[in-house]
Amino acid sequence: MKKILIGSLALAAATTVFADYPDKPVTIVVPFAAGGPTDKVARDLADVLRKPLGGQSVIIENVGGAGGTLGAGRVAKASPDGYTLLLHHIGMATAPALYRNLPYKTLDDFEYLGMINEVPMTLIGKPSLPAANYADLHKWLAANQGKVNLAHAGLGSASHLCGLLLQSALKMEMTTVPYKGTGPAMTDLLGGQVDLMCDQTTNTSGQIESGKVKAYAVTTTKRLSAPLLAKLPTLDEAGLKGFNVTIWHALYAPKGTPKPVLDKINAALKVALKDAEFIKREEALGAVIVTDNRVGGAEHKKFVESEINKWGPVIKAAGQYAD
Ligand code: ASP
């Protein structure tokens, strides 16, 4: 009897605590450096999450390194109280095949809060690269075998995945240069320290528009509709048959975060993703906001599982992994 009473008192106290959630700022960990596309969507989302989270500040913490696995590992071990969240991309699904030892269990160590967006990628080159279009680039690559550098955001990152598939499709090896995110990688590409990069349109559109980088192709099987990007061929149409990579971003909490807290965050995410200004900003950069039932824990987790199953064999066939 006494035990039951203590149990229900504890439950009542806990429910009251959750009823106040959030009563202090919420941190979203971005597992890449500031200035890149994951950082950008996180900062845009933080702006529109504030209101549905009762006006609390949403702070971004960049924990870049090891292709996003350091930041994801940090959130897996954070207190499961709803105050530390993770915004990550397709790397959640590609890292299990790329790393022999991950500092977390992708499907067991997180609560799945919902998907955010889907973003195509673009293959871009340094401004001085002497190739005006994809056909020229292909010739230049063939003539410079063994000398070409490709920037990426670490093993397991989206840019790494795209670069890996590119080298495998072209049957050419490039020297890959890892950064803590494609924000700093873009700085070096603009400065000519690296030759090529494959990155989300949300990071490349501005540089393509201002003519600061060479743009060669998109990674989707259909051309993009945004006027700025519509002129770019798909890699598939340029000869790399079947090349198809689309990046997605999603939100996670540490495993064990109480259900009432998860429900509040998910409800806030649903409101945030309907914000007209947010949608406009994302779409202008080539991203598509997710509106289906993957903006919900169960379907989000199912989707990540399907992506793990989709990419695992592809990555293994391309023959790369890290410890
Ligand atoms: N776009 C990067 C990647 O290649 C990461 C970043 O957002 O900086 O995974």
Side-chain angles (χ1 to χ4, degrees):
M1 176 67 184
K2 203 172 163 194
K3 225 178 179 176
I4 296 171
L5 192 65
I6 293 171
S8 43
L9 281 176
L11 185 67
T15 309
T16 318
V17 171
F18 302 146
D20 290 342
Y21 174 84
D23 61 1
K24 61 178 184 182
V26 173
T27 297
I28 297 182
V29 171
V30 168
F32 296 103
T38 311
D39 179 64
K40 181 168 178 16
V41 69
R43 285 174 198 275
D44 286 350
L45 184 73
D47 282 349
V48 286
L49 267 179
R50 183 173 303 136
K51 208 164 149 201
L53 280 179
Q56 276 301 336
S57 304
V58 179
I59 296 161
I60 302 301
E61 186 186 339
N62 298 90
V63 183
T69 61
L70 288 184
R74 149 125 163 62
V75 175
K77 286 173 190 65
S79 175
D81 54 11
Y83 290 100
T84 307
L85 308 177
L86 171 71
L87 192 153
H88 201 349
H89 64 22
I90 193 171
M92 273 307 254
T94 56
L98 282 159
Y99 285 80
R100 282 205 201 99
N101 294 305
L102 271 182
Y104 54 85
K105 289 196 193 78
T106 309
L107 296 172
D108 297 339
D109 290 352
F110 298 94
E111 303 288 352
Y112 286 64
L113 285 162
M115 305 268 302
I116 300 165
N117 67 6
E118 290 175 305
V119 199
M121 301 188 94
T122 39
L123 178 61
I124 56 172
K126 64 181 178 185
S128 60
L129 216 151
N133 52 40
Y134 182 80
D136 289 354
L137 177 70
H138 198 273
K139 281 185 214 138
W140 182 83
L141 288 171
N144 286 279
Q145 292 237 34
K147 288 190 239 156
V148 179
N149 290 322
L150 177 93
H152 65 82
L155 251 71
S157 66
S159 44
H160 173 253
L161 172 70
C162 184
L164 184 63
L165 299 177
L166 186 70
Q167 291 174 81
S168 148
L170 286 168
K171 298 189 179 52
M172 287 179 193
E173 272 192 31
M174 302 177 195
T175 304
T176 59
V177 186
Y179 291 81
K180 285 192 173 170
T182 45
M186 179 66 89
T187 307
D188 273 10
L189 188 86
L190 291 170
Q193 282 90 339
V194 282
D195 301 317
L196 286 175
M197 179 162 75
C198 188
D199 200 20
Q200 283 103 303
T201 56
T202 40
N203 196 31
T204 61
S205 294
Q207 309 293 0
I208 295 172
E209 187 163 26
S210 56
K212 290 197 180 130
V213 294
K214 296 265 166 68
Y216 295 113
V218 295
T219 61
T220 43
T221 45
K222 269 198 201 144
R223 283 195 182 211
L224 303 179
S225 55
L228 167 72
L229 302 165
K231 62 176 188 294
L232 293 177
T234 67
L235 283 170
D236 175 89
E237 118 194 26
L240 305 185
K241 287 289 158 235
F243 201 104
N244 188 13
V245 189
T246 297
I247 301 318
W248 41 267
H249 291 97
L251 202 59
Y252 307 81
K255 187 75 184 177
T257 305
K259 172 111 177 26
V261 172
L262 296 175
D263 289 346
K264 277 195 179 180
I265 303 168
N266 178 257
L269 179 64
K270 284 185 171 131
V271 172
L273 295 187
K274 291 200 176 94
D275 185 280
E277 274 303 307
F278 173 75
I279 296 172
K280 208 167 122 195
R281 233 177 301 152
E282 287 286 303
E283 285 182 351
L285 298 173
V288 176
I289 301 300
V290 176
T291 54
D292 55 42
N293 57 8
R294 290 173 301 162
V295 192
E299 292 305 316
H300 168 198
K301 189 169 184 180
K302 253 192 232 162
F303 176 74
V304 174
E305 271 184 285
S306 73
E307 287 280 282
I308 292 174
N309 294 334
K310 169 177 162 186
W311 289 111
V314 177
I315 291 166
K316 287 198 173 115
Q320 278 218 11
Y321 51 82
D323 287 322

